[in-house]
């Protein structure tokens, strides 16, 4: 069996208006990560990620030796972060503008190797670039390494350069993130409020087969899939990608569809994702309740799947599946009000640009 034994995260529910860019919008920003960033010597994504690589987590790994091999997986979302490289970020006086004086530090594989060394000797290091599905996609790798290759501990770090002028302008121009004047609040599966704000967030998780402490959850399995789609940025309305990921995760976890009654959705709230994810869930699971965390903390991109899984575990430990914020319609399935947990298992979903769909199954019974 595989257990989640350590979890550290950083995010904010507070929004900040960014109005000195072409597409003004709110974002969930951690101001301390931008301290001294205009000097070019301090890089916001690194400061964000290092906030979850805590002394407590490092000490846990170093003090509790594992009988087998250790892996370090960095779910970075991309091979090289956006930063300010692009056609949008031309105003040096903009609040979030910064320069990178040492360009290679934006290469995520180099950063992964440096952070992995902080935990002591490791037997495997890899970096994932599966966009917004990244932190759930690597859970398929976690399961594979621990089931088939003799690894007894896998450390997963995830975070991305989600909030910068380039990403805000990119999502703004695409009409994907909510803009000032839209007249909507972020929500998911709602007929009135739709969409998301971008958000900074990072998560560190340790998975073990021989835990040295009381586990937070049991990790049952994960699967990533694609759908037949010629548009790598699009989603099919029938939710085929989500359906394949859900069915794969259930198969790996040896769990019947009627054995899962709770879902942490990808839940971006865009009309396209609302249709695809809702259809897939209604076709894949006979009975369930579902929530979304993006209206609460923003879309943290590559970190979102695992970060939100941690929030779900926290809420379940406190006896609640939380309502999807800003719902305008009463809904007992994609819940518009807090409800008690149903059973011990829940499905966590994520999707990423490039036709990537991921699902992971957890149990609170440990």
């Amino acid at each position: 069996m595989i257990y989640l034994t350590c979890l550290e995260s950083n995010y904010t529910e507070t929004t900040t208006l960014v109005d000195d860019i072409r597409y003004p919008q709110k974002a969930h920003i951690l101001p301390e990560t931008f301290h001294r960033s205009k000097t070019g010597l301090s890089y916001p994504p690194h400061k964000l990620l290092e906030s979850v690589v805590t002394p407590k987590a490092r000490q846990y790994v170093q003090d509790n030796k594992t009988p087998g091999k250790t892996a370090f997986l960095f779910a970075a979302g991309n091979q090289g972060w956006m930063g300010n490289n692009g056609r949008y970020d031309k105003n040096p006086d903009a609040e979030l503008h910064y320069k990178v004086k040492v360009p290679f530090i934006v290469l995520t594989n180099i950063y992964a190797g440096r952070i992995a060394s902080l935990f002591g000797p490791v037997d495997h290091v890899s970096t994932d670039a599966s966009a917004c599905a990244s932190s759930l996609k690597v859970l398929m790798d976690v399961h594979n390494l621990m089931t088939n290759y003799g690894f007894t501990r896998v450390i997963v770090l995830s975070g991305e350069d989600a909030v910068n002028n380039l990403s805000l302008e990119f999502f703004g121009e695409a009409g994907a993130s909510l803009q000032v004047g839209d007249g909507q609040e972020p929500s998911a599966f709602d007929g009135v409020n739709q969409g998301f704000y971008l958000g900074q967030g990072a998560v560190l998780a340790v998975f073990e087969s021989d835990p040295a402490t009381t586990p937070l959850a049991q990790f049952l399995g994960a699967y990533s899939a694609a759908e037949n789609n010629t548009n790598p940025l699009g989603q099919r309305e029938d939710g085929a990608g989500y359906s394949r990921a859900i069915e794969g995760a259930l198969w790996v976890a040896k769990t019947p569809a009627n054995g899962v009654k709770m879902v942490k959705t990808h839940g971006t709230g865009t009309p396209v994702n609302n249709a695809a994810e809702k259809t897939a869930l209604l076709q894949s699971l006979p009975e369930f309740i579902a929530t979304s965390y993006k209206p609460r903390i923003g879309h943290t991109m590559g970190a979102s799947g695992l970060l939100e899984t941690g929030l779900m575990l926290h809420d379940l430990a406190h006896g609640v599946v939380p309502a999807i914020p800003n719902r305008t319609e009463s809904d007992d399935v994609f819940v518009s009000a807090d409800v008690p947990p149903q059973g011990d298992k829940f499905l966590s979903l994520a999707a990423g640009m490039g036709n990537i769909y991921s699902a992971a199954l957890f149990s609170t019974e440990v």
Side-chain angles (χ1 to χ4, degrees):
M1 290 188 285
I2 302 173
Y3 298 97
L4 173 61
T5 55
C6 179
L7 188 71
E8 301 282 352
S9 62
N10 193 8
Y11 61 91
T12 180
E13 297 184 23
T14 302
T15 58
T16 300
L17 176 61
V18 183
D19 59 2
D20 57 1
I21 58 176
R22 185 178 172 191
Y23 297 93
Q25 58 195 281
K26 292 181 180 179
H28 296 261
I29 297 172
L30 295 161
E32 63 274 16
T33 64
F34 284 89
H35 181 60
R36 297 183 66 245
S37 61
K38 289 184 183 294
T39 66
L41 300 175
S42 179
Y43 191 35
H46 288 182
K47 295 188 77 169
L48 171 64
L49 285 155
E50 285 154 27
S51 71
V52 299
V53 184
T54 62
K56 177 183 174 183
R58 290 166 56 188
Q59 200 68 46
Y60 173 82
V61 171
Q62 293 166 4
D63 288 351
N64 298 288
K65 304 303 179 184
T66 189
K69 294 182 287 187
T70 295
F72 180 90
L73 308 182
F74 183 25
N78 291 279
Q79 290 180 323
W81 283 313
M82 283 184 164
N84 66 341
N85 300 307
R87 62 191 176 93
Y88 297 108
D89 191 13
K90 305 299 183 183
N91 178 13
D93 296 321
E95 184 70 21
L96 301 183
H97 178 91
Y98 61 84
K99 290 289 185 183
V100 177
K101 291 187 177 179
V102 187
F104 69 80
I105 70 170
V106 306
L107 297 176
T108 55
N109 57 316
I110 294 174
Y111 185 72
R114 181 169 77 81
I115 297 300
S117 68
L118 299 177
F119 290 90
V122 294
D123 303 279
H124 172 88
V125 178
S126 63
T127 304
D128 183 82
S130 300
C132 298
S134 190
S135 64
L136 278 197
K137 184 272 168 186
V138 299
L139 297 192
M140 189 176 179
D141 304 327
V142 170
H143 193 271
N144 190 28
L145 288 168
M146 298 186 73
T147 302
N148 299 314
Y149 290 95
F151 285 80
T152 54
R153 173 181 287 156
V154 180
I155 303 162
V156 176
L157 174 65
S158 187
E160 195 170 347
D161 194 2
V163 179
N164 57 66
N165 287 340
L166 190 152
S167 59
L168 291 169
E169 296 280 29
F170 173 82
F171 280 93
E173 185 176 61
S177 56
L178 290 176
Q179 311 296 300
V180 171
D182 280 346
Q184 292 181 322
E185 294 295 329
S187 192
F189 310 105
D190 193 73
V192 177
N193 285 326
Q194 300 179 342
F196 60 86
Y197 299 134
L198 290 172
Q200 287 186 285
V203 60
L204 175 82
V206 179
F207 294 89
E208 298 178 288
S209 58
D210 187 24
T213 187
T214 302
L216 301 170
Q218 186 181 164
F219 169 48
L220 302 176
Y223 193 81
S224 289
E227 61 187 12
N228 297 326
N229 195 338
T230 57
N231 178 8
L233 300 180
Q235 293 176 297
R236 286 171 42 152
E237 288 189 10
D238 64 3
Y242 280 118
S243 294
R244 291 176 180 179
I246 292 168
E247 291 162 9
L250 293 173
W251 183 83
V252 171
K254 298 179 173 59
T255 300
N258 62 7
V260 180
K261 300 188 184 300
M262 299 182 291
V263 181
K264 191 280 314 165
T265 67
H266 184 51
T268 60
T270 65
V272 171
N273 189 79
N274 283 347
E277 193 168 16
K278 185 174 185 177
T279 299
L281 283 168
L282 292 173
Q283 291 177 347
S284 301
L285 302 179
E287 183 182 354
F288 66 92
I289 52 175
T291 190
S292 171
Y293 286 91
K294 287 180 177 64
R296 184 169 129 194
I297 68 167
H299 193 344
T300 56
M301 295 174 67
S304 61
L306 187 54
L307 174 54
E308 294 164 8
T309 296
L311 296 178
M312 182 77 162
L313 284 168
H314 177 271
D315 287 335
L316 292 177
H318 288 79
V320 65
V321 175
I324 299 172
N326 302 318
R327 289 296 314 270
T328 63
E329 305 150 328
S330 179
D331 195 333
D332 295 330
V333 178
F334 297 88
V335 294
S336 55
D338 292 355
V339 294
Q342 296 185 10
D344 65 283
K345 297 180 181 65
F346 73 92
L347 197 64
S348 187
L349 301 180
M353 291 182 181
N355 195 7
I356 307 165
Y357 297 86
S358 297
L361 194 61
F362 290 84
S363 172
T364 55
E365 278 195 2
V366 295

